[in-house]
Amino acid sequence: MEVRPPEETREDIDRQQDLLFRPGHFEGLHALLRLFTDDVGADGDELRRAAVNALGGTFSAYYQADRDALVFLDAPLARLNDIEALVAHELVHAWHDQRADLGVFLDRNKTSLDRVTAGRCLMEGLAEAASSSVFLARQGRTLRDLDPGILDYTLGRLLGGEGSAVAYQEGMRFLHARFAEGGWEAVRAALDAVPPSSEQLLHPAKLGRDEPTDVALPDWPDDLGTAELRYEDTAGEAMIQSFLSLVGRPRREAGLATMGWDGDRWRVWRTPDGAEALVWRTVWDREMDALDFAAAFLGRPAPRRRAGRVVDFAWAPDPTVARRLLDALAALAEPAPGSPDDATSTAAVEAAWESEAARESAVEDGRWRIPRYGVSLPVPPGWSVREIRGSHFLVREAVGGFASNVNVTGSVNLEARGTEELVERALADLRRVGSEVVSGPSHGEVGGAPALRIDVEGTMGGTRLLRFAMLTFPRPNLSVTVTVTVPAEEWTESAAVVEEILAGVALETDP
């Protein structure tokens, strides 16, 4: 067991990439990401370094399977986490390694990026489910008493983006469903039967039904000279959804644009002059799904074509080469007609997604409503609700590079802790990161429910001193906290609007 500063974890995290991915992964991914963003770095090596550096800022702890080590990071954000939950989560990874050898488990799922995603979802979902069960057991409860839809992964999305949060959130949902079906025996069985695609893991209506289509790709055209095939892979629904955030698509739109995925494959070549070229074919359950996906790329310059339920892409530094590769894709035989059953399951998935999205966030009649928590609050003039890395915030236009904001988070509170205990735990967390209480706790209420208000100041690991005004109150099975964050030097001029927001918090229907 080790405690390390983030800068000493880079070597471990770099080796984790080799445990997860096949050789050539970052070179191949670098080529694919050119379709989504211009900010992808010079090459695969630079992309890998950027990924390792980014991951080093998101972890609070990790299990390093190649040397049997539990590593806890000595960093401000890491110290905000509940240490018991961290230890439980990482010990589950250690148990998984002892039971099945994580290296072997990960190797078995390296056949495609999509399989890597599905395997990671099971690995992280297991740790989430088992660590949650520890705390539930103390109250005589089990995972069946927990609605995974109320779990909040806002921090994970902010730090690591959608691709990072999906393994924890969707893995937990999937294994929670397995537990509800057959207890821990069903959970253990799921580890030995990873779904064949992230699509089946994401959508219960498709599990065991909607099998991925095998996607054929063209060889390098003879009239373009010679080229070396460098990489070939399948991205899968979950990763394509996270990639769409790079072209600015909100999480709801990205989810709808990738539903109906039926298969994909991309191939990367390198020419003798060192130039890369790529083709990517995606296949969809219905023509309308293909249209939705193609529309998500409006404004991007990469050559593409849509025919029936197929959307093809090509990329090369030379536009003539890209067009020739797109022609080679077009010359391939079209896939067989889509399955009616797949189309039916996709329609059901879309309806479920829309229903879930309706619980997230909406602005109506000058109020920000969050049905997921049964809470609403006023939207002052000059403020607006924005999506930032898949989570919603009430944001004021930035002044001096920092946007004052409001976020609403919920934590599971099945044991019905009182507001005093909840706030004391929050204060203990804040003290660990060096934050100072400047006001409170003070008693109040929200919709007749007891509430506590505390104001603290701290840098949260950055350089700018911030003030956080936090209002905490119980909801059914939840503790909800509304946090207004403003730069400390702007507090005097912002105090009135902060009070307006917190005084206007209201309870609506139960979450």
Side-chain angles (χ1 to χ4, degrees), residues 451-482:
L452 277 178
R453 159 85 178 271
I454 55 172
D455 288 21
V456 301
E457 287 187 352
T459 61
M460 300 302 288
T463 57
R464 191 164 192 171
L465 185 64
L466 302 173
R467 181 153 176 169
F468 307 89
M470 297 181 290
L471 185 68
T472 298
F473 50 93
R475 297 295 280 138
N477 296 328
L478 285 170
S479 162
V480 174
T481 299
V482 179

Side-chain angles (χ1 to χ4, degrees), residues 195-211:
S197 69
S198 62
E199 177 191 42
Q200 289 195 20
L201 187 141
L202 292 173
H203 309 302
K206 290 180 173 288
L207 185 61
R209 294 172 59 186
D210 192 344
E211 296 298 320

Side-chain angles (χ1 to χ4, degrees), residues 12-29:
D12 276 353
I13 296 171
D14 187 67
R15 290 203 310 278
Q16 289 174 17
Q17 309 315 301
D18 295 324
L19 290 172
L20 283 168
F21 304 114
R22 290 185 289 134
H25 164 76
F26 284 96
E27 180 181 0
L29 185 62

Side-chain angles (χ1 to χ4, degrees), residues 203-206 237 259 344-354:
H203 309 302
K206 290 180 173 288
E237 180 180 339
M259 284 173 195
T344 299
S345 66
T346 294
V349 162
E350 288 176 342
W353 180 265
E354 290 282 25

